[in-house]
Amino acid sequence: MEPLPATAHEPASVAVWDRFVRLCHWSLATGFGANWLNEGGDPPHRWIGYVAVALVLCRVVWGVIGSRHARFSDWVPSPARLRRYLGLLLRGREPRYLGHNPAAAVMMLALLAMLLALGVTGWLTTTDRFFGEEWLEDLHRLLASIMLGMVALHVAAALFESWKHGENLILAMFTGRKRAAGDCIDADTAD
């Protein structure tokens, strides 16, 4: 993971998120958005949901065997590291992380779990046992609303962190590259 050399206008950058992580991220974001707008449960809605569940499962596998910053071992924090980070965040002294910071890592896990829950509840509404069960349809809609709030919080946090650390995290999720600087914490040195 060699940093790209700095130019007169740009600091050196380093590869952080691989192509699969970025493709999975934007595919899940697009799929959730499409299904939020088309909530009728028709075949396209269901197939987008099935693809989203398959992507989450692939992401879980990639979290074990993938590139360094894709692996859960690189970014899932211990409870102690999460508490330390949140304490620093509340005091406005949170460090910059090369990969996901501990709070973002917890959000990633929650978003993946919520997508699975949406997929399972959506699929159950199509089964003979649960077809037409209003409580399950209500639960599916409630989970989708909670997910929308989580997505809004995720985007707001990415924008805040981009501003706070002077780094465009949205762009980094397209390019896979972040600023290479000595002011960031890498997961290997976090605990």
Side-chain angles (χ1 to χ4, degrees):
M1 185 169 10
E2 277 298 306
L4 289 178
T7 66
H9 302 289
E10 291 183 21
S13 69
V14 63
V16 177
W17 293 300
D18 63 57
R19 187 171 290 145
F20 178 76
V21 167
R22 296 186 326 264
L23 179 64
C24 189
H25 175 272
W26 293 114
S27 296
L28 288 170
T30 301
F32 176 74
N35 268 2
W36 178 261
L37 294 173
N38 176 26
E39 60 180 300
D42 57 0
H45 181 94
R46 288 194 304 268
W47 281 106
I48 290 170
Y50 298 149
V51 168
V53 167
L55 282 170
V56 169
L57 295 176
C58 288
R59 179 60 184 94
V60 168
V61 170
W62 197 245
V64 175
I65 66 169
S67 64
R68 177 179 176 205
H69 290 292
R71 290 191 306 264
F72 296 127
S73 62
D74 183 71
W75 56 270
V76 174
S78 66
R81 187 168 53 156
L82 178 62
R83 274 192 307 277
R84 267 193 316 274
Y85 179 82
L86 292 175
L88 291 169
L89 178 66
L90 290 173
R91 292 191 298 273
R93 296 184 14 223
E94 74 282 2
R96 175 180 170 259
Y97 276 74
L98 188 57
H100 289 303
N101 69 55
V106 170
M107 177 58 89
M108 295 305 101
L109 294 172
L111 288 167
L112 292 172
M114 186 61 77
L115 283 167
L116 285 177
L118 279 165
V120 168
T121 57
W123 169 73
L124 284 173
T125 64
T126 69
T127 64
D128 290 341
R129 170 80 171 92
F130 293 103
F131 184 79
E133 290 287 342
E134 193 170 321
W135 70 268
L136 186 58
E137 292 171 6
D138 290 343
L139 176 60
H140 186 71
R141 279 191 290 276
L142 175 64
L143 292 176
S145 295
I146 292 170
M147 178 75 175
L148 186 63
M150 291 170 64
V151 167
L153 180 60
H154 169 61
V155 171
L159 292 172
F160 172 77
E161 191 171 337
S162 292
W163 168 78
K164 175 83 181 207
H165 296 293
E167 179 163 54
N168 189 336
L169 294 178
I170 309 300
L171 180 62
M173 279 308 298
F174 282 105
T175 66
R177 302 191 74 82
K178 290 181 77 176
R179 184 179 76 241
D183 68 338
C184 67
I185 292 180
D186 210 348
D188 292 341
T189 60
D191 284 328

